[in-house]
Amino acid sequence: MSFRTSPGTPASPPSATDYVEDVSPGSGALPPRAWYPASDARSLSLNGSWSFRLSPTADAEDDSFAAEGYEAGDWAEVRVPGHWVLQGHGAPIYTNHLYPFPVDPPRVPTENPTGDHLRPFDLPSDWPADGGTVLRFDGVESCARVWLNGTDLGEFKGSRLPHEFAVGHLLRPGGNVLAVRVHQWSAGSYLEDQDQWWLPGIFRDVTLLHRPAGSALDFFVHASYDHREGLGTLRVDSDVDGRVLVPALDIDVETGTDLTVPVLPWTAETPRLYDGELVTEGERVPLRIGFRTVTLEDGLIKVNGRAVLFKGVNRHEWHPEKGRALDPETMLADVLLMKRHNINAVRTSHYPPHPAFLDLCDEYGLWVIDECDLETHGFTEQAWRDNPVDDARWTPALLDRAARMVERDKNHPSVVLWSLGNEAGTGRGLTTMAEWIRGRDGSRLIHYEGDIDCRDTDVYSRMYAPHAEVERIGRRLDGGGRRRRELPFILCEYGHAMGNGPGGIADYQALFTSYDRVQGGFVWEWIDHGIQDERYGFAYGGDFGEELHDGNFVCDGLLFPDRTPSPGLVEYKKVIEPVRIDGGVSSAASEEGRTLGSDGTVRVTNGYDFADLSALAFEWSYQVDGETVESGLLPVPALAAGESADVKLPTPPADPRGAEAWWTVRAVLAEETAWGPRGHVVAWTQLAVSEPVLPRLTSNAAPVPGGRVITLGPGTFDARTGALLTIGGIEVTGPRLDVWRAPTDNDNGASWQPDARYGTLWRTLGLHRMRHRLDGVEPGDDALTVRTRVAPAAWEVGLRTVYRWTSDGTRLRLTVSVAPEGEWTLPLPRLGVRLGLTGSADRVTWFGGGPGEGYPDTKSASLIGRWESAVDEMQTPYVRPQENGARADVRWARIGGLRIEGDPSFWFTARRWTTEQLDAADHLPDLRPGDTVWVNLDHGQQGIGSQSCGPGALPPYQLRAEPAEFSFVFSEIHD
């Protein structure tokens, strides 16, 4: 049954707010044009403090506030750029893809928070009287109506796109008043369902731009590069005739003229820009010109004749206090962090960024997929019925968004692909957008992940395809139509960086480098969107009382909200490093080339697409038992992109017999660059010279019963339970078998993958509440044996566990034997022992992987060495607390006067709260340090994967319930 209004129903009378639900992009704005940061024409920023009034509905107040002479009285104040919900007016809302209002396009709720903004201003005394003036808004969410000095200029939608109005005829020297009414919800909201906080407001710059007579209007810089001849061809098309000057190239030509000259090309690795000017009768506009050509050739994305490998990230704009109102310093911080972590590409998910960010990408060198301000993901809930991209009524709005992106950003050499948007299904509107873009700019390729048949796109793009499928795609065995099979493939989203993780990205990178067709991918995403909050530290979905929300799914970045790099970013930097250093030709069969070639050589391979190695210096160091004994420089030729060379290391400076020795080779910046200091590490490897030295202990002490305790060497044990009580003067709680970890976001998995949501399945099985049954305490001639069965209530599965204690009189060895019983169908979270230490256990020294955390599929960046840390500093502050902080491949650790050696090496974790307390916490302030430091010594850990929105841990990294035996040697430290 349909409840829609019948054709005979009388229409409602026109409303002053009908534009809010109009599917059109708006009215009154000037045609879109190229953005440039400055010229010699005057400008006036209207950023700053604005008077503000919030109303609960779109029509709660009339528009009298926009009339001349209106007095704001007791209105509040807000910062522009800014979001009013982050300044004490209302609250933010987070949803991933569900619309936070009923889906009834283009209608929106009556409850529609509406912010009225007033900004009085005077013109500078020297503001030119001739020509015109343009009022520019760079971003307003989601719908705005604008008045100047009482005159209605028009209204617009397209939150993350620029809109300009001609206002010169309305300006006066003093007493100007700009009035802007902003509605949180509008028809445009249906096009902006982009997995982010809904944050209304004027969140980008507002600027007055003087337009002198004869000033530049729109212009298009065409700067191609012929890689065969080393020549660049420049032509600047301009709406206003003028001249183009490029002094470094001796160029002085009329606009519209082609000129070919020898140039150095622009690439993300070698971002050569030529400074120039567009000179018209009334204005001089600075140009930053990068010569490069993007083609689809041989089934590959090529720039300047070479295929590129994207080592990218998706980047939402975010600041923990300002939301999407980013300042130049924050944008620069993002770019510098990307460059310093070997990232070479950005997908501007899911809208064009602030235009100044693209200037930085041009200057510092990043490939950019520029994405249109379009996503209609919420329509999946009704099988895409009424999806705007397949409804002709919405096509003008789609074209307006495409045009405003392309026209604004067309002069950026960093932009190599246009993206039609994200997760908007399929439809005729997208085809129309693609056709328009190709007609306007044929110099770039077109991307859209939702076009599975690649009818409109030049790239086959997918999200979160599992490793095995990526390999099939690389081998062109993925099926699909002929056109798709002939196109290059990228993962526009992969490696979901939510909480602890992502895992498995090294395995993805191996596929990217193995198959030419697979041209890399973009990790989701750059930064956690936590909101600074005095209650929670960083707040996420649901913390503001939202009726509908998606929790901490908004915190899925490689940076924490304060822009501190997460372990995931450190791992990604290592995985995508542009120089490979391995063990030379004679060690090709060794695991990952981590063993030194028998001839003492390392093989250095330049993995850049364009740059040679002349900007890098190479250093070696030689470590024995984790300490560097000697170091020096390694002469490596300035290899061209793709070239390799075998380089001989010096004679080992020390004999490693009886010790563990490693070579460490690093590629560092030879000199300071625009993005990194001299000595910044770009790539590194470690090569084993000898095997780890395992602890030895000859059992020559017998257990000695003594009433309620048993003594064995330096240890005392409870005679009834066999539990260790002390080692020398150190009180110990435990150790006993532990299989539980506070589930990571990736353990908990995505709702659409119920069969692999291990966090839920582990909890259902009861692994978080294991019971330890004592089966026997057996003192022997040379050992104390404690037999137990560890199992969850309500299930028949269990782990038969035997603890065997031996001693040489000064040290204790614990050997743990585990035998599964019953039918285990799930992997284990962890397998090891947990113990508690009281007293001064506040610092840790260890020999093993570091300095940060590592898990089976996230330890590429784990450097073997000798490390030291406070216990508190070993915690990784994920916004939602979860398993964290394990150090991988630990040979030995010292904590609280205790030395612990492993046979074999182990994962080491220490924290001031129990796993159960960590599991129960929703935010970091929920974790309250106790008097006991809880230490986990793990023989095994389940891999991490990225199943919060992707594949789980691959089989090699899964911890299956299988028979296992491992040992630890404990001794008291007396120094």
Side-chain angles (χ1 to χ4, degrees):
M1 179 180 294
S2 173
F3 291 92
R4 295 183 183 275
T5 304
S6 67
T9 302
S12 300
S15 166
T17 59
D18 282 349
Y19 63 91
V20 174
E21 296 181 335
D22 191 335
V23 298
S24 74
S27 63
L30 295 170
R33 65 187 180 98
W35 183 88
Y36 49 91
S39 73
D40 65 344
R42 293 295 304 276
S43 65
L44 176 65
S45 172
L46 297 181
N47 295 345
S49 179
W50 290 46
S51 297
F52 175 78
R53 176 182 66 187
L54 181 63
S55 303
T57 67
D59 58 358
E61 300 283 354
D62 61 26
D63 59 9
S64 61
F65 82 103
E68 291 196 82
Y70 182 87
E71 294 292 336
D74 60 354
W75 283 26
E77 291 189 352
V78 294
R79 297 184 310 275
V80 171
H83 306 277
W84 70 67
V85 293
L86 297 182
Q87 300 182 59
H89 306 280
I93 300 170
Y94 168 62
T95 60
N96 168 28
H97 77 277
L98 297 174
Y99 290 105
F101 47 80
V103 179
D104 183 23
R107 305 298 302 279
V108 295
T110 299
E111 297 83 2
N112 188 358
T114 295
D116 291 332
H117 299 69
L118 286 173
R119 174 66 155 89
F121 65 94
D122 299 329
L123 293 178
S125 59
D126 58 348
W127 189 266
D130 65 319
T133 298
V134 166
L135 171 65
R136 182 181 182 91
F137 295 89
D138 279 306
V140 182
E141 183 177 331
S142 73
C143 173
R145 186 160 198 153
V146 186
W147 296 262
L148 179 62
N149 293 334
T151 297
D152 186 354
L153 301 180
E155 78 285 340
F156 62 88
K157 307 178 189 76
S159 298
R160 284 151 281 278
L161 295 162
H163 295 83
E164 294 182 333
F165 297 89
V167 297
H169 59 295
L170 300 174
L171 288 171
R172 45 192 180 228
N176 297 284
V177 178
L178 177 60
V180 184
R181 171 163 284 176
V182 180
H183 307 280
Q184 174 154 21
W185 310 121
S186 70
S189 300
Y190 285 99
L191 304 180
E192 296 172 4
D193 187 23
Q194 296 152 321
D195 184 9
Q196 60 182 332
W197 293 99
W198 300 87
L199 300 174
I202 305 172
F203 69 95
R204 287 185 185 161
D205 304 292
V206 182
T207 313
L208 277 180
L209 301 169
H210 179 239
R211 302 283 76 211
S215 63
L217 298 177
D218 191 22
F219 59 92
F220 197 161
V221 177
H222 304 272
S224 61
Y225 180 70
D226 182 341
H227 64 279
R228 297 177 182 85
E229 301 295 331
L231 299 175
T233 299
L234 176 66
R235 186 183 76 251
V236 178
D237 294 331
S238 175
D239 286 354
V240 175
D241 291 341
R243 300 195 67 80
V244 178
L245 312 177
V246 188
L249 298 176
D250 293 328
I251 290 177
D252 181 351
V253 296
E254 293 181 350
T255 53
T257 302
D258 286 292
L259 186 64
T260 300
V261 294
V263 297
L264 296 174
W266 187 97
T267 74
E269 297 166 5
T270 56
R272 181 64 165 91
L273 293 173
Y274 291 90
D275 290 325
E277 280 189 311
L278 168 61
V279 181
T280 67
E281 178 185 354
E283 188 176 19
R284 302 179 75 95
V285 178
L287 305 176
R288 305 212 75 193
I289 302 167
F291 291 87
R292 58 106 186 94
T293 296
V294 183
T295 58
L296 177 61
E297 185 179 345
D298 303 322
L300 299 173
I301 303 167
K302 291 187 177 181
V303 178
N304 302 338
R306 295 186 184 181
V308 296
L309 183 62
F310 295 119
K311 303 170 182 178
V313 292
N314 288 272
R315 175 185 176 269
H316 267 301
E317 295 182 301
W318 187 251
H319 187 282
E321 297 174 357
K322 303 174 185 177
R324 285 187 288 279
L326 296 194
D327 53 77
E329 293 76 18
T330 300
M331 289 185 270
L332 177 59
D334 279 347
V335 170
L336 294 179
L337 280 167
M338 290 176 188
K339 295 293 290 186
R340 291 169 185 170
H341 288 85
N342 294 330
I343 290 165
N344 72 358
V346 178
R347 175 179 175 229
T348 68
S349 54
H350 296 295
Y351 43 82
H354 191 291
F357 178 76
L358 297 180
D359 285 340
L360 295 170
C361 294
D362 295 342
E363 180 178 353
Y364 290 91
L366 289 166
W367 308 117
V368 174
I369 298 181
D370 199 358
E371 193 148 273
C372 193
D373 190 10
L374 172 62
E375 180 171 338
T376 64
H377 199 174
F379 283 89
T380 58
E381 298 304 305
Q382 49 265 13
W384 296 106
R385 186 174 59 256
D386 296 328
N387 185 6
V389 304
D390 200 31
D391 183 336
R393 295 176 302 162
W394 295 81
T395 300
L398 302 182
L399 285 173
D400 181 75
R401 289 170 184 250
R404 290 187 182 279
M405 171 184 70
V406 171
E407 300 295 5
R408 191 195 77 168
D409 298 342
K410 58 183 178 284
N411 295 326
H412 289 283
S414 57
V415 176
V416 291
L417 284 90
W418 300 117
S419 180
L420 302 180
N422 183 68
E423 292 178 314
T426 57
R428 293 162 290 176
L430 291 164
T431 298
T432 304
M433 292 170 67
E435 291 173 347
W436 183 90
I437 292 173
R438 283 198 173 92
R440 178 58 174 146
D441 177 26
S443 70
R444 296 175 172 93
L445 306 182
I446 293 180
H447 166 273
Y448 176 61
E449 178 269 342
D451 185 6
I452 196 69
D453 295 321
C454 302
R455 296 177 305 172
D456 301 321
T457 61
D458 302 303
V459 182
Y460 177 30
S461 176
R462 289 283 302 283
M463 295 180 181
Y464 308 107
H467 299 75
E469 185 177 1
V470 172
E471 183 167 18
R472 289 195 300 273
I473 293 170
R475 299 171 63 187
R476 301 184 188 274
L477 300 176
D478 54 304
R482 178 179 177 182
R483 171 172 168 76
R484 192 181 85 180
R485 293 197 307 272
E486 293 176 348
L487 292 179
F489 174 78
I490 63 170
L491 278 168
C492 67
E493 294 180 20
Y494 82 110
H496 197 250
M498 185 176 179
N500 188 334
I505 56 175
D507 305 85
Y508 273 118
Q509 195 66 22
L511 294 170
F512 299 164
T513 56
S514 297
Y515 298 99
D516 290 344
R517 183 191 185 193
V518 182
Q519 292 194 251
F522 297 77
V523 167
W524 185 268
E525 65 158 303
W526 177 236
I527 188 170
D528 286 344
H529 296 194
I531 294 177
Q532 187 78 49
D533 188 282
E534 62 181 11
R535 302 166 298 167
Y536 305 121
F538 294 111
Y540 49 76
D543 288 338
F544 298 97
E546 304 102 302
E547 294 179 343
L548 183 68
H549 65 86
D550 285 292
N552 69 313
F553 202 71
V554 75
C555 294
D556 47 12
L558 293 169
L559 295 179
F560 296 124
D562 62 0
R563 282 184 162 71
T564 299
S566 75
L569 181 56
V570 177
E571 174 80 356
Y572 193 40
K573 174 188 177 181
K574 172 61 180 168
V575 165
I576 61 175
E577 61 188 12
V579 181
R580 180 178 173 89
I581 310 166
D582 58 34
V585 291
S586 61
S587 68
S590 66
E591 182 182 355
E592 300 181 357
R594 296 259 294 175
T595 302
L596 183 65
S598 59
D599 59 352
T601 63
V602 293
R603 170 158 290 182
V604 179
T605 301
N606 181 353
Y608 285 112
D609 293 325
F610 297 92
D612 64 25
L613 299 186
S614 59
L616 301 180
F618 289 78
E619 303 171 346
W620 63 265
S621 59
Y622 189 80
Q623 290 87 33
V624 176
D625 283 345
E627 294 189 334
T628 298
V629 297
E630 197 167 332
S631 61
L633 297 177
L634 186 68
V636 175
L639 300 170
E643 288 187 344
S644 298
D646 289 326
V647 181
K648 193 169 182 60
L649 289 167
T651 302
D655 186 344
R657 283 182 294 182
E660 182 179 354
W662 291 81
W663 290 99
T664 302
V665 181
R666 294 178 173 88
V668 304
L669 290 181
E671 301 293 342
E672 181 179 359
T673 70
W675 53 265
R678 179 180 179 180
H680 168 79
V681 177
V682 173
W684 60 269
T685 199
Q686 286 190 301
L687 304 165
V689 177
S690 59
E691 297 294 326
V693 179
L694 299 178
R696 296 180 180 180
L697 184 148
T698 301
S699 177
N700 56 19
V704 179
R708 294 185 178 182
V709 299
I710 297 173
T711 302
L712 176 60
T716 59
F717 300 80
D718 185 296
R720 184 179 62 84
T721 65
L724 179 66
L725 302 175
T726 64
I727 300 175
I730 301 170
E731 294 184 6
V732 179
T733 303
R736 69 177 186 171
L737 193 75
D738 191 12
V739 299
W740 180 244
R741 73 185 188 194
T744 67
D745 291 316
N746 288 304
D747 289 338
N748 286 331
S751 60
W752 55 90
Q753 304 179 81
D755 294 338
R757 299 186 72 185
Y758 288 129
T760 300
L761 297 173
W762 289 334
R763 209 178 294 275
T764 299
L765 184 58
L767 298 189
H768 62 306
R769 47 175 174 80
M770 299 290 275
R771 299 293 183 260
H772 297 251
R773 187 185 74 204
L774 179 63
D775 288 343
V777 178
E778 304 171 1
D781 292 339
D782 63 350
L784 174 64
T785 302
V786 181
R787 302 185 186 277
T788 68
R789 186 176 190 269
V790 183
W795 299 91
E796 64 177 357
V797 297
L799 300 170
R800 185 72 65 176
T801 306
V802 177
Y803 307 94
R804 187 172 187 270
W805 294 93
T806 57
S807 176
D808 62 1
T810 59
R811 297 179 296 162
L812 280 174
R813 177 189 285 272
L814 168 62
T815 300
V816 183
S817 301
V818 181
E821 295 180 340
E823 186 177 353
W824 287 85
T825 59
L826 297 176
L828 296 173
R830 68 177 352 126
L831 181 66
V833 296
R834 176 166 56 166
L835 57 92
L837 299 172
T838 56
S840 59
D842 56 355
R843 295 200 67 80
V844 183
T845 302
W846 74 98
F847 174 30
E853 72 182 26
Y855 290 81
D857 55 351
T858 66
K859 63 174 187 171
S860 298
S862 187
L863 183 71
I864 301 299
R866 192 172 296 200
W867 308 100
E868 183 175 0
S869 172
V871 167
D872 293 342
E873 293 171 355
M874 296 186 73
Q875 315 312 306
T876 304
Y878 295 114
V879 173
R880 185 193 74 80
Q882 56 198 273
E883 166 62 33
N884 73 90
R887 269 49 179 186
D889 302 315
V890 174
R891 280 72 164 152
W892 56 257
R894 296 178 178 181
I895 180 171
L898 194 65
R899 177 183 170 96
I900 307 167
E901 302 169 78
D903 180 6
S905 60
F906 57 98
W907 272 271
F908 177 89
T909 309
R911 53 177 69 105
R912 296 186 185 277
W913 36 79
T914 65
T915 299
E916 291 73 22
Q917 291 168 329
L918 182 62
D919 187 14
D922 292 323
H923 298 85
L924 288 172
D926 296 337
L927 294 170
R928 306 293 175 86
D931 295 331
T932 300
V933 171
W934 295 97
V935 176
N936 277 93
L937 312 173
D938 290 320
H939 176 65
Q941 277 268 2
Q942 167 77 355
I944 298 297
S946 64
Q947 201 148 9
S948 52
C949 194
L954 292 173
Y957 311 119
Q958 294 179 5
L959 181 60
R960 292 298 171 185
E962 298 172 342
E965 184 172 284
F966 48 94
S967 297
F968 303 99
V969 174
F970 301 91
S971 56
E972 187 177 11
I973 303 169
H974 295 287
D975 51 33

